[in-house]
Amino acid sequence: MKSINFEALFNASPNPYVLLNPSLNIMGMNEAYLRVTMRTREELVGRNMFEAFPSDPDSEGHRQLRASFERVIAEKVPDHLPIIEYAIPLPDGQGFEERFWSATHTPLFNEAGELISILQHTVDVTELHQLRKFAQTSALLSGPSALIETDMFRRAQAVQEVNQTLSRERQHLQELFEQAPGFIAAVSGPDHVFTMANAAYRHVVGRGDLIGKPVREALPEVVEQGFIRLLDRVYRSGEPFIGRGVRLHLQGADGRSEEHFLDFVYQPIFSRDGNVSGIFVQGHDVTDHRRAENALRESEERFRAIANSIDQLIWATRPDGFHDYYNQRWYEYTGVPEGSTDGAAWNGMFHADDQERAWNKWRRSLETGEPYHIEYRLRHRSGQYRWVLGRAQPVRDEQGRITRWYGTCTDIHDLKQAQDDLRKSREQAVQSEKETLRLAATLAERVSELDAANDEIQRFAYIVSHDLRAPLVNVMGFTSELENAQEEIEKFYRRVSETQPDLVTPEARAAIETDLAEAIGFIRSSTVKMDKLINAILKLSREGRRVLTPEPISMSQLLEAQRHSLAHQLHESGAKLVIQTVPDVVSDRLAVEQVFGNLIENAIKYLEPGRSGRIAVRGRDLGLSVRYEVEDNGRGIDEKDFERIFDLFRRSGTQDQQGEGIGLAHVRALVRRLGGTISVASRLGEGSTFTVTLPKSISVSSEAA
């Protein structure tokens, strides 16, 4: 069995060799044979020679080749075919190519002298045959033609010499067999006794003492793994077994089990009588490859898990741009069935106005390798087209060739809408700014006019109050004179009444005792009231002309000072003033004191009789402004009077308290000068809340009324 020429399977020899069993099934070949026949090992191993290289059974080449094999099998001697015409199929089904061969078929025997295989050595002499044919049909019948014929015979003789050196090459190929990178072994008989095993096989199994031992004894760990049963099946059936990535556990040098993955062929070896005499084993250890595949698969599984867990839409394509992967988020977002957007179908998901632009951009990236970056409208599962940012990057191998494209889609619809809204807002802002500038100019003009009018009103108020005071002083002076005269008249009236009562008429008595005193009293009260009104007008006039002086004000301290100054009124009314959290301001202290002094004093004056009074002051910081509230539980104000109470000389409700109706008018004037506003909310019988809003800081350093 050791003399079987398995060396023909090796790739080292430049001569083409193929090994066949007696049934003419191909057992193996070397690389030179694959090159000359333009086939792959997978296409040939295990197939019948005439199935692997079909030809017309009636053709001369077919008959010559079959007859040569039959002579070798029958006579068990080498057979030579100096030249044979035998066409072979071209790769990828492109037809057949006419070829001429010189072949030698050598029988190989086991130790019992049984034919177990045939070694075919083939030489492609197509070029030589064509050259000879050309010479025969050429007009050059002598001279160069003769040289050509001579050369042809020399080359034919060389072929013959090659056939004769086969025996010498066997030893050389035996050495090559030992050095073959793939593992090769042969077992004989029903016990599967090792007859040969090359270095690669011994390396895989981790031991060298194999020859002459049954597989069961040499590799006991494979018994329970089913490999003995597999060998038995091939031996009994005569059918080869091809395994891909078969897992095998072998005992290592340290006694521990080592996992291997193997690609191998169990090829039956037939004797002359057609019975299986042994099994030829050939294969490769693909453990590293399988582990790399497992690592790649695990990496892909991790990638898919990550890709399906994020919000972005992820996709991938082949180097030519064929879309073959989308993450789960893509299908959830678009609502399309899985696989329906593979290939080029993705473009149909875009808005019609964006499809051509997206195609052009994608084609350019495929042609140049440039990153893909585009915004387009993608159809959402709701039927709405939403703006999406599409990006893709190529992945390259060590040679710089693109192996994959990985891309993402990010929904930017809301951002896009916000950008559009911002653009529109900017356009509107520009228009608004122009309108604002126009209104500001108009307002400045109106303010200037109002300032002038206010100055005029202030001057008018001062002049009126001054001019009114002059005759009022006269009236008040003459009223005093009348009061003095009244005393003398009354003295005279009493003496006359006592001495001469007949002289006093009823009319005189009524005039002196009733009318005169009543008239003088009315004049006196009217002049006093008029004097107060004139003083109030003068006060308003002076406040309007006073220069405001901003300064930092602690509102809690200012209100505590107000509590102290109003302590007597609070005590008499039995009211309680509660000062809550209030923000500070930068403003005119005197004006602020007058505002809150008036509001708190009014709250004390108009408390509900029979109910414990409670006045609360609180505030809130609004950023650029501050808001204060003065709340009481007093008698309240009718809604129809909310505005009129701020008018000059106007009051609301029962007039049972002293006052001229100027306090709230003064407060509103002060608040407006400070740049703020004042309002009231109230319900009769429940109380009122005055709200004052002031700038947190007034920027003016001085202001003239």
Coordinates of all heavy atoms in Angstrom, one line a residue, residues 127-155:
E127 N -0.2 23.0 -28.8 CA 0.6 23.9 -29.6 C 1.5 23.2 -30.6 O 1.7 23.5 -31.7 CB 1.4 24.8 -28.6 CG 2.4 25.8 -29.3 CD 3.2 26.6 -28.4 OE1 3.0 26.3 -27.1 OE2 4.0 27.3 -28.8
L128 N 2.0 22.0 -30.1 CA 2.9 21.2 -31.0 C 2.1 20.7 -32.1 O 2.6 20.7 -33.3 CB 3.5 20.1 -30.1 CG 4.4 19.1 -30.8 CD1 5.6 19.8 -31.3 CD2 4.7 17.9 -29.9
H129 N 0.9 20.2 -31.9 CA 0.1 19.6 -33.0 C -0.3 20.7 -34.0 O -0.2 20.5 -35.2 CB -1.2 19.0 -32.4 CG -2.1 18.5 -33.4 ND1 -1.9 17.3 -34.1 CD2 -3.3 19.0 -34.0 CE1 -2.9 17.1 -34.9 NE2 -3.7 18.1 -34.9
Q130 N -0.6 21.9 -33.5 CA -1.0 23.0 -34.4 C 0.2 23.4 -35.3 O 0.1 23.7 -36.4 CB -1.5 24.2 -33.6 CG -2.9 23.9 -33.0 CD -3.3 25.0 -32.1 OE1 -2.5 25.9 -31.8 NE2 -4.6 25.0 -31.8
L131 N 1.4 23.4 -34.6 CA 2.6 23.7 -35.4 C 2.9 22.7 -36.5 O 3.2 23.0 -37.6 CB 3.8 23.8 -34.4 CG 5.1 24.2 -35.0 CD1 5.0 25.7 -35.6 CD2 6.2 24.2 -33.9
R132 N 2.7 21.4 -36.2 CA 2.9 20.4 -37.2 C 2.0 20.5 -38.3 O 2.3 20.4 -39.5 CB 2.8 19.0 -36.5 CG 3.1 17.8 -37.5 CD 2.9 16.5 -36.7 NE 3.2 15.4 -37.6 CZ 3.2 14.1 -37.3 NH1 2.8 13.8 -36.1 NH2 3.4 13.2 -38.2
K133 N 0.7 20.8 -38.0 CA -0.4 20.9 -39.0 C -0.1 22.1 -39.9 O -0.2 22.0 -41.1 CB -1.7 21.1 -38.3 CG -2.9 21.1 -39.3 CD -4.2 21.2 -38.5 CE -5.4 21.2 -39.5 NZ -6.7 21.3 -38.7
F134 N 0.4 23.1 -39.3 CA 0.8 24.3 -40.1 C 1.9 24.0 -41.1 O 1.9 24.4 -42.3 CB 1.2 25.4 -39.2 CG 1.8 26.6 -39.9 CD1 0.9 27.5 -40.5 CD2 3.2 26.8 -40.0 CE1 1.4 28.6 -41.2 CE2 3.7 27.9 -40.6 CZ 2.8 28.8 -41.3
A135 N 2.9 23.2 -40.6 CA 4.0 22.8 -41.4 C 3.6 22.0 -42.6 O 4.1 22.1 -43.7 CB 5.1 22.1 -40.6
Q136 N 2.6 21.1 -42.3 CA 2.2 20.2 -43.4 C 1.4 20.9 -44.5 O 1.5 20.5 -45.6 CB 1.3 19.0 -42.8 CG 2.1 18.1 -41.9 CD 1.2 17.1 -41.3 OE1 0.0 17.3 -41.2 NE2 1.8 16.0 -40.8
T137 N 0.7 21.9 -44.1 CA -0.2 22.6 -45.1 C 0.6 23.8 -45.7 O 0.1 24.4 -46.6 CB -1.4 23.1 -44.4 OG1 -1.1 24.0 -43.3 CG2 -2.3 22.0 -43.9
S138 N 1.8 24.0 -45.3 CA 2.5 25.2 -45.7 C 3.2 24.8 -47.1 O 3.5 23.7 -47.4 CB 3.6 25.6 -44.7 OG 4.4 26.6 -45.2
A139 N 3.5 25.9 -47.8 CA 4.2 25.7 -49.1 C 5.7 25.3 -48.8 O 6.4 24.9 -49.7 CB 4.2 26.9 -49.9
L140 N 6.2 25.5 -47.6 CA 7.5 25.2 -47.3 C 7.6 23.7 -47.0 O 7.4 23.2 -45.9 CB 8.0 26.0 -46.1 CG 8.0 27.5 -46.2 CD1 8.3 28.2 -44.9 CD2 8.9 27.9 -47.3
L141 N 7.8 22.8 -48.1 CA 7.9 21.4 -47.9 C 9.2 20.9 -47.6 O 9.4 19.7 -47.3 CB 7.4 20.7 -49.2 CG 6.0 21.1 -49.7 CD1 5.6 20.4 -51.0 CD2 5.0 20.7 -48.6
S142 N 10.3 21.7 -47.6 CA 11.6 21.3 -47.2 C 12.3 22.5 -46.5 O 11.7 23.6 -46.4 CB 12.4 20.9 -48.5 OG 12.5 22.0 -49.4
G143 N 13.4 22.3 -46.1 CA 14.2 23.4 -45.5 C 13.6 23.6 -44.1 O 13.6 22.7 -43.2
P144 N 13.0 24.8 -43.8 CA 12.4 25.1 -42.5 C 11.4 24.1 -42.1 O 11.2 23.8 -40.9 CB 11.8 26.5 -42.7 CG 12.6 27.1 -43.8 CD 12.9 26.0 -44.7
S145 N 10.6 23.7 -43.1 CA 9.5 22.7 -42.7 C 10.1 21.4 -42.2 O 9.6 20.8 -41.2 CB 8.7 22.4 -44.0 OG 7.8 21.4 -43.7
A146 N 11.2 21.0 -42.8 CA 11.9 19.8 -42.3 C 12.4 20.0 -40.8 O 12.3 19.1 -40.0 CB 13.0 19.4 -43.2
L147 N 12.8 21.2 -40.6 CA 13.3 21.5 -39.2 C 12.2 21.5 -38.3 O 12.3 21.0 -37.1 CB 14.0 22.9 -39.2 CG 15.3 23.0 -40.0 CD1 15.8 24.5 -39.9 CD2 16.3 22.1 -39.4
I148 N 11.0 22.0 -38.7 CA 9.8 21.9 -37.8 C 9.5 20.5 -37.5 O 9.2 20.1 -36.4 CB 8.7 22.7 -38.5 CG1 9.0 24.2 -38.6 CG2 7.4 22.4 -37.7 CD1 8.0 25.0 -39.3
E149 N 9.4 19.6 -38.6 CA 9.1 18.2 -38.4 C 10.1 17.6 -37.4 O 9.7 16.8 -36.5 CB 9.1 17.5 -39.7 CG 7.9 17.8 -40.7 CD 6.7 17.2 -40.2 OE1 6.7 16.2 -39.4 OE2 5.6 17.7 -40.6
T150 N 11.4 17.9 -37.6 CA 12.4 17.4 -36.7 C 12.1 17.8 -35.3 O 12.2 17.0 -34.4 CB 13.8 17.8 -37.2 OG1 14.0 17.4 -38.5 CG2 14.8 17.2 -36.2
D151 N 11.8 19.1 -35.1 CA 11.5 19.6 -33.8 C 10.3 18.9 -33.2 O 10.2 18.6 -32.0 CB 11.3 21.1 -33.8 CG 11.1 21.7 -32.4 OD1 12.1 21.6 -31.6 OD2 10.0 22.2 -32.1
M152 N 9.3 18.7 -34.0 CA 8.1 18.0 -33.5 C 8.4 16.6 -33.0 O 7.9 16.2 -31.9 CB 7.0 17.9 -34.6 CG 6.4 19.2 -35.0 SD 5.4 19.1 -36.5 CE 4.2 17.8 -36.0
F153 N 9.3 15.9 -33.8 CA 9.6 14.5 -33.3 C 10.4 14.6 -32.0 O 10.3 13.7 -31.2 CB 10.4 13.8 -34.4 CG 9.5 13.4 -35.5 CD1 9.7 13.8 -36.8 CD2 8.4 12.5 -35.3 CE1 8.9 13.4 -37.9 CE2 7.6 12.1 -36.3 CZ 7.8 12.5 -37.6
R154 N 11.3 15.6 -31.9 CA 12.0 15.7 -30.7 C 11.1 15.9 -29.5 O 11.3 15.3 -28.4 CB 13.0 16.9 -30.8 CG 14.2 16.6 -31.7 CD 15.1 17.8 -31.9 NE 16.2 17.5 -32.8 CZ 17.1 18.5 -33.2 NH1 16.9 19.7 -32.9 NH2 18.1 18.1 -34.0
R155 N 10.1 16.8 -29.7 CA 9.2 17.1 -28.6 C 8.4 15.8 -28.2 O 8.1 15.5 -27.1 CB 8.3 18.2 -28.9 CG 9.0 19.5 -29.0 CD 8.2 20.7 -29.4 NE 7.3 21.0 -28.2 CZ 6.4 22.0 -28.3 NH1 6.3 22.8 -29.3 NH2 5.6 22.2 -27.2

